[in-house]
Amino acid sequence: MTQMIGKQSLQFEHAPHILGHASIVGKKEGEGPLGHLFDVVGEDALFGEKTWEAAESYLQKQAGEMAIGKAGLESWQIRYIFSGDLLAQGVATSFGLVDLNIPLFGLYGACSTIGEALSLGAMIVAADYADYVISMASSHFGSAEKEFRFPLQYAGQRPLSACWTVTGCGAFVLGKDGGKVRITGITTGKIVDYGLKDSLNMGACMAPAACDTIYQNFMDFNRQPSDYDRIFTGDLGNVGKTILLELLKEKGFDISSQHTDCGIEIYDAERQDTHNGGSGCGCAAVTLSAYIMRQLEKKAWKRVMLVPTGALLSKVSYNEGNTVPGIAQAVVLESC
């Protein structure tokens, strides 16, 4: 039985297992600190396709197929896919997954999408609505810059607070048992808006939402930071990390010993000139698959809170002068 805990959380009595997972990234990500851990590293940003958007669709298809294979399953055994990306109307997802011929729930939670996908996938499996599901998310530097900012040909100066959108896709097959890592609980985030409008400082825009979700997880599960071996946010970078730590200290929690950020881990910011770090739907997804899952599988860590973070803006909302609200989804992962 799944139990509602506190205001925003669920605890799974029979926790869904992660049976297979895969990560595929671009050349820049392959040159970063985690490069040797990814399943596939592309030779160029197009992955043999003609456009960045088609390349991102390729990432989704390949990651999904790899995860299914590593789980020892075939595509017809997967009941649902939960997936999303950053592009208008989720075109990377829809074009990328059409050939898998699996029922799809297309998602949009900005860079927090993998947290949303894992949460919904775990709920479906725990409720016996499916034996197997896939949760996944992707992003691509070129397609995201084209969608949200400006043509790369402009060669505009990026401020030090800007993040570098990860080119990559992470996919996870969830089932009832048989894996080395399970999802024991989730805390669903709320939209948090501090009135910030700088789309090139998304770490600051998302940090309040990360604080809100992490704090609520502590409250709902009656836990302290020390109850987690690691607390990973998704896309805050160094700017957002500093803000998050201060906001949580104001609420009485010091997570500095447990916390790191996927956007910090995936790049060598100084050597690779990524400024504030990584972001994008693929950031937390590929870091989870390549790095976090490996630590849990070999029991180096026993319990991790993954908190992918999203900035809820569009080019329309930004050009109309609206703020950039944030959201964060917490997923509790434990080794079996």
Side-chain angles (χ1 to χ4, degrees), residues 193-271:
D193 189 351
Y194 271 34
L196 302 175
K197 294 186 176 182
D198 186 358
S199 68
L200 292 177
N201 189 2
M202 292 193 296
C205 296
M206 297 184 291
C211 172
D212 188 79
T213 299
I214 293 170
Y215 173 80
Q216 197 60 53
N217 179 274
F218 292 154
M219 294 292 98
D220 289 353
F221 287 93
N222 192 26
R223 289 175 180 164
Q224 295 292 319
S226 58
D227 291 317
Y228 293 96
D229 294 296
R230 293 291 188 278
I231 298 172
F232 276 86
T233 46
D235 321 83
L236 299 183
N238 290 293
V239 173
K241 175 185 174 72
T242 300
I243 297 171
L244 170 65
L245 296 182
E246 290 300 318
L247 289 175
L248 278 170
K249 284 180 180 178
E250 292 176 3
K251 292 179 175 291
F253 291 100
D254 183 356
I255 67 168
S256 56
S257 297
Q258 294 80 21
H259 178 259
T260 188
D261 185 76
C262 297
I264 295 174
E265 297 290 336
I266 197 168
Y267 295 125
D268 183 324
E270 183 174 345
R271 178 174 60 84

Side-chain angles (χ1 to χ4, degrees), residues 37 96 124 130 162 174 177 179 193 206 221-222 260 280 300 312 324 331 335:
L37 299 176
I124 288 288
L174 276 55
D177 52 47
D193 189 351
M206 297 184 291
F221 287 93
N222 192 26
T260 188
L312 302 176
V324 183
V331 180
S335 60

Side-chain angles (χ1 to χ4, degrees), residues 10-207:
L10 295 177
Q11 186 172 38
F12 302 117
E13 182 179 351
H14 299 292
H17 287 219
I18 297 177
L19 306 181
H21 56 92
S23 58
I24 177 171
V25 299
K27 185 174 183 291
K28 190 178 187 74
E29 291 70 27
E31 294 170 345
L34 305 181
H36 62 292
L37 299 176
F38 299 118
D39 292 306
V40 176
V41 177
E43 296 181 358
D44 61 63
L46 286 174
F47 293 87
E49 303 293 335
K50 294 182 178 180
T51 66
W52 290 320
E53 292 79 7
E56 188 172 348
S57 292
Y58 174 85
L59 295 177
Q60 290 233 5
K61 180 180 180 181
Q62 294 302 309
E65 290 179 341
M66 278 193 293
I68 293 171
K70 291 170 74 173
L73 301 171
E74 296 184 23
S75 59
W76 64 265
Q77 295 175 277
I78 307 298
R79 182 75 172 186
Y80 300 115
I81 298 177
F82 296 87
S83 185
D85 56 76
L86 292 175
L87 305 185
Q89 296 180 279
V91 293
T93 297
S94 57
F95 285 104
L97 301 180
V98 60
D99 290 337
L100 291 184
N101 198 33
I102 299 171
L104 169 70
F105 289 97
L107 307 178
Y108 184 81
C111 300
S112 73
T113 297
I114 191 59
E116 183 180 1
L118 288 167
S119 296
L120 292 170
M123 290 166 65
I124 288 288
V125 172
D128 285 330
Y129 294 141
D131 291 328
Y132 305 107
V133 304
I134 298 179
S135 298
M136 57 192 296
S138 71
S139 55
H140 189 290
F141 175 78
S143 63
E145 292 292 304
K146 180 178 175 182
E147 179 76 25
F148 287 100
R149 298 188 181 95
F150 36 71
L152 294 174
Q153 291 87 339
Y154 282 179
Q157 181 69 37
R158 298 167 62 86
L160 294 178
S161 61
C163 293
W164 190 278
T165 303
V166 166
T167 296
C169 180
F172 305 83
V173 175
L174 276 55
K176 295 178 181 178
D177 52 47
K180 295 181 179 180
V181 177
R182 55 195 182 133
I183 298 174
T184 57
I186 62 172
T187 301
T188 304
K190 298 180 295 186
I191 298 172
V192 179
D193 189 351
Y194 271 34
L196 302 175
K197 294 186 176 182
D198 186 358
S199 68
L200 292 177
N201 189 2
M202 292 193 296
C205 296
M206 297 184 291

